[in-house]
């Protein structure tokens, strides 16, 4: 490694390696998610090329940052990278400590500092492969965008590093009705994904007995009965569920603990919040749900989303809100970008760091 | 994420949460929180004034405690939720399950102790 100093040499001798454990930087997102980078006593430079540890991330500079050991911590120094180096969201402007459990961001790659035994590393890599397969499976459940017809859809789904519990869908119920829905299961990881898949398959296959799927409150009430959190590993989910009737242009909708869908009419600069309240699915037995309706004018656009789209930490350190998302949606179109991509870009522009903490799910429907 | 026990001498458990009530925060405080509220044998007031974010697992923790207390005939009341937490609670219609108060006196009244 370059730029060694006497002080750094002293730091290296203070490495703690008790009980055969080793310090790792564990990649939490992107194509290398699950990769364990062992931190050596000599320290390492990280970069896209020309470094001891190379990262498959175009946002990483050729020579990006340097990691050295100091007791139980690692010390991180940015090497003049283009996109900066961050520890728990704070930019590294001078050598800074990376304690065990902290999150290091290099380019778009998130890495957690962990202390592990070799056996634990092997287990983690297996789990990471399982999560990757779960992501593939959830993606396989998402429908293709509808490019033509009276109901047209575009969407953006970006699973978080740990895989959240988002999914969405739409399909024809009959010649006159389309159903649209978005599900968000609490928590992250395989448990959340399994629950999502189960709820999604119930909606896709219409397997709720004695339920009219054109009536949102019936669907939500039946789902609530079918998925009590006590019987499903403590998991609950939020859902937005809407049914669009082609002949009347009427959208009937209900929600269970989900933020409101947003409707932007062609002749308006401001969205209408399709606000309807109901408890999340599975939270209490015998919860009651209601529905509301709206007539969709020509050329209107409906936005259905998960809270991960706006619950970000912004560059100025505050928590993003629904109002931020509304401001983005009401902003000008961007030539060459589809609507989901425009919104994603605007959210990313506001966001500290580049990786989403929760799934980003956005369904844009044009009528 | 921090959990503080405000008082053990009142006819209700009085605790305060501070920080981000996200998955990591819940992992950190959940056992202590459940012990201090749902297993306290009396109604609970949870000061939320210093919780600036609450994710789905935070909701789950609060609801689980509230349901456990409800099973004992007791209530859990949130005190002074931050604007962001308030929006989350309203979006999920959770004030049906967990009432909110904006002063300790109001909380005591909601608990039926006033």
């Amino acid at each position: 490694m370059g730029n060694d100093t006497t002080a750094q040499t002293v730091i290296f001798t203070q490495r703690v390696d008790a009980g055969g454990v080793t310090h790792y930087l564990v990649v939490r997102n992107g194509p290398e998610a699950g990769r364990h980078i062992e931190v050596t006593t000599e320290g390492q430079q990280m970069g896209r090329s020309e470094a001891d540890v190379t990262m498959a991330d175009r946002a990483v500079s050729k020579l990006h940052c340097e990691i050295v050991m100091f007791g139980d911590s690692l010390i991180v120094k940015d090497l003049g990278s283009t996109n900066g180096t961050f520890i728990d969201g704070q930019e590294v402007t001078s050598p800074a400590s990376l304690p065990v459990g902290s999150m290091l961001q290099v380019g778009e790659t998130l890495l957690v500092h962990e202390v592990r035994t070799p056996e634990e590393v092997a287990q983690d890599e297996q789990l990471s492969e399982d999560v990757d397969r779960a992501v593939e499976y959830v993606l396989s459940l998402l429908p293709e965008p509808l490019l033509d017809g009276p109901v047209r859809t575009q969407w953006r789904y970006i699973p978080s590093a740990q895989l959240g519990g988002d999914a969405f869908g739409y399909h024809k119920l009959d010649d006159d009705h389309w159903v649209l829905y978005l599900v968000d299961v609490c928590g992250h990881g395989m448990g959340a994904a399994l629950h999502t898949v189960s709820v999604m398959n119930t909606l896709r296959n219409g397997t709720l007995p004695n339920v009219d799927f054109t009536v949102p409150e019936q669907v939500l009430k039946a789902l609530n009965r079918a998925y009590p959190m006590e019987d499903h590993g403590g998991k609950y989910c939020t859902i937005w569920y809407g049914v669009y009737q082609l002949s009347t242009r009427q959208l009937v909708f209900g929600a269970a603990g989900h933020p409101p869908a947003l409707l932007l009419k062609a002749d308006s600069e401001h969205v209408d919040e399709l606000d309807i309240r109901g408890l999340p699915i599975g939270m209490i037995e015998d919860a009651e749900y209601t529905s509301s309706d709206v007539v969709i004018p020509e050329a209107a656009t409906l936005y259905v989303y998960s809270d991960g789209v706006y619950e970000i930490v912004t560059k100025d350190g505050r928590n993003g809100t629904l109002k931020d998302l509304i401001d983005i949606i009401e902003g000008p179109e961007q030539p060459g970008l589809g609507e989901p991509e425009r919104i994603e870009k605007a959210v990313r522009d506001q966001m500290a760091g580049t990786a989403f903490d929760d799934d980003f799910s956005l369904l844009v429907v044009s009528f | 994420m921090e959990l503080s026990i405000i008082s053990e001498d009142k006819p209700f458990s009085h605790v305060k949460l501070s920080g981000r009530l996200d998955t990591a925060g819940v992992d950190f405080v959940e056992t202590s929180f459940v012990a201090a509220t749902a297993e306290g044998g009396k109604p609970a007031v949870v000061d939320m004034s210093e919780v600036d974010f609450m994710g789905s697992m935070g909701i789950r923790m609060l609801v689980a405690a509230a349901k456990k207390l409800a099973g004992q005939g007791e209530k859990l009341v949130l005190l002074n939720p931050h604007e962001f937490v308030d929006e989350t609670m309203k979006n999920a219609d959770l004030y049906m399950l967990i009432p909110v108060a904006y002063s300790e006196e109001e909380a005591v009244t909601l608990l039926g102790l006033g």
Side-chain angles (χ1 to χ4, degrees):
Chain A
M1 59 174 282
N3 302 322
D4 281 356
T5 66
T6 303
Q8 284 170 338
T9 303
V10 173
I11 288 168
F12 296 158
T13 65
Q14 292 177 329
R15 179 192 185 201
V16 175
D17 193 7
V21 298
T22 306
H23 292 259
Y24 290 93
L25 294 174
V26 184
V27 179
R28 299 295 292 272
N29 64 331
E32 295 191 291
R35 177 185 175 190
H36 285 67
I37 300 168
E38 184 177 342
V39 181
T40 63
T41 51
E42 293 78 19
Q44 288 136 303
Q45 290 178 335
M46 301 175 72
R48 199 173 72 249
S49 58
E50 303 175 7
D52 305 316
V53 177
T54 54
M55 313 287 295
D57 178 350
R58 288 194 300 180
V60 171
S61 297
K62 288 180 181 175
L63 206 52
H64 197 105
C65 65
E66 185 173 56
I67 314 291
V68 295
M69 283 189 180
F70 183 70
D72 273 343
S73 290
L74 303 178
I75 303 297
V76 179
K77 179 185 176 187
D78 185 79
L79 297 175
S81 66
T82 302
N83 293 318
T85 302
F86 298 84
I87 295 175
D88 291 335
Q90 298 292 312
E91 185 162 11
V92 175
T93 53
S94 60
S97 170
L98 180 74
V100 173
S102 295
M103 185 80 78
L104 174 69
Q105 184 175 342
V106 180
E108 294 189 352
T109 304
L110 294 173
L111 307 102
V112 177
H113 176 196
E114 294 185 358
V115 178
R116 293 297 179 93
T117 64
E119 292 77 17
E120 288 172 330
V121 170
Q123 284 176 353
D124 278 0
E125 286 175 347
Q126 179 60 48
L127 271 175
S128 178
E129 288 174 16
D130 290 345
V131 168
D132 287 347
R133 282 193 281 269
V135 169
E136 287 172 14
Y137 185 46
V138 171
L139 276 167
S140 76
L141 297 180
L142 305 183
E144 291 292 321
L146 299 171
L147 303 178
D148 298 304
V151 177
R152 299 169 303 284
T153 61
Q154 307 170 73
W155 51 260
R156 194 85 177 103
Y157 169 71
I158 306 167
S160 66
Q162 295 176 290
L163 178 60
D166 286 9
F168 50 84
Y170 40 81
H171 58 266
K172 257 183 164 180
L173 286 174
D174 55 43
D175 286 345
D176 200 27
H177 294 90
W178 279 84
V179 62
L180 315 155
Y181 49 87
L182 194 147
V183 178
D184 182 358
V185 171
C186 70
H188 296 89
M190 293 294 287
L194 286 169
H195 196 66
T196 304
V197 166
S198 183
V199 174
M200 282 288 288
N201 282 333
T202 298
L203 290 171
R204 280 157 47 103
N205 300 324
T207 51
L208 293 167
N210 305 316
V211 167
D212 181 347
F213 278 79
T214 65
V215 183
E217 61 266 41
Q218 282 192 28
V219 175
L220 297 176
K221 191 173 172 69
L223 281 174
N224 187 60
R225 277 199 304 266
Y227 291 97
M229 60 190 289
E230 287 78 8
D231 296 346
H232 292 273
K235 297 289 180 196
Y236 70 86
C237 65
T238 70
I239 296 182
W240 187 92
Y241 184 94
V243 179
Y244 179 65
Q245 187 172 22
L246 297 174
S247 59
T248 61
R249 300 192 67 86
Q250 185 186 47
L251 176 72
V252 184
F253 58 93
H258 206 82
L262 304 170
L263 181 67
L264 185 61
K265 297 171 183 167
D267 60 355
S268 175
E269 294 179 351
H270 301 290
V271 298
D272 294 334
E273 294 186 32
L274 304 187
D275 199 6
I276 187 162
R277 304 280 164 85
L279 281 166
I281 297 297
M283 205 161 260
I284 62 165
E285 196 180 359
D286 297 329
E288 292 293 334
Y289 297 92
T290 57
S291 62
S292 186
D293 61 84
V294 61
V295 173
I296 306 287
E298 291 282 347
T301 305
L302 180 74
Y303 301 81
V304 187
Y305 51 89
S306 63
D307 54 11
V309 171
Y310 64 88
E311 285 185 351
I312 59 166
V313 177
T314 64
K315 287 191 168 89
D316 55 3
R318 65 181 180 82
N319 292 307
T321 65
L322 177 56
K323 174 73 167 54
D324 295 322
L325 176 62
I326 289 173
D327 288 345
I328 288 171
I329 289 173
E330 291 176 348
E333 291 180 7
Q334 208 158 327
L337 276 185
E339 189 64 350
E341 289 74 22
R342 176 185 77 83
I343 292 167
E344 180 202 343
K345 181 178 183 304
V347 172
R348 286 188 184 278
D349 286 347
Q350 292 184 354
M351 187 169 73
T354 55
F356 288 100
D357 289 336
D358 198 358
D359 288 357
F360 178 109
S361 296
L362 173 64
L363 174 59
V364 180
V365 187
S366 304
F367 300 93
Chain B
M1 191 75 230
E2 282 185 17
L3 173 72
S4 311
I5 308 297
I6 303 297
S7 171
E8 295 178 332
D9 301 329
K10 297 176 181 174
F12 55 89
S13 305
H14 193 178
V15 303
K16 180 174 188 172
L17 291 166
S18 307
R20 285 178 68 82
L21 200 50
D22 54 11
T23 302
V26 170
D27 285 347
F28 196 67
V29 300
E30 186 166 26
T31 303
S32 307
F33 178 81
V34 170
T37 56
E39 294 171 356
K42 50 189 180 181
V45 173
V46 182
D47 187 329
M48 297 286 284
S49 59
E50 292 183 12
V51 174
D52 59 5
F53 175 83
M54 182 168 68
S56 60
M57 295 305 281
I59 292 173
R60 178 177 173 269
M61 182 181 85
L62 292 179
V63 168
K67 287 173 75 171
K68 194 160 185 176
L69 280 171
Q72 302 161 24
E74 304 290 1
K75 284 183 183 171
L76 182 146
V77 172
L78 294 192
L79 180 61
N80 290 323
H82 187 279
E83 180 185 3
F84 187 94
V85 172
D86 190 48
E87 180 178 291
T88 303
M89 293 290 291
K90 283 177 180 163
N91 277 337
D93 210 22
L94 290 172
Y95 287 141
M96 274 183 65
L97 292 181
I98 306 175
V100 63
Y102 295 95
S103 68
E104 190 174 323
E105 293 72 26
E106 188 184 359
V108 168
T109 303
L110 287 171
L111 292 175
L113 300 172

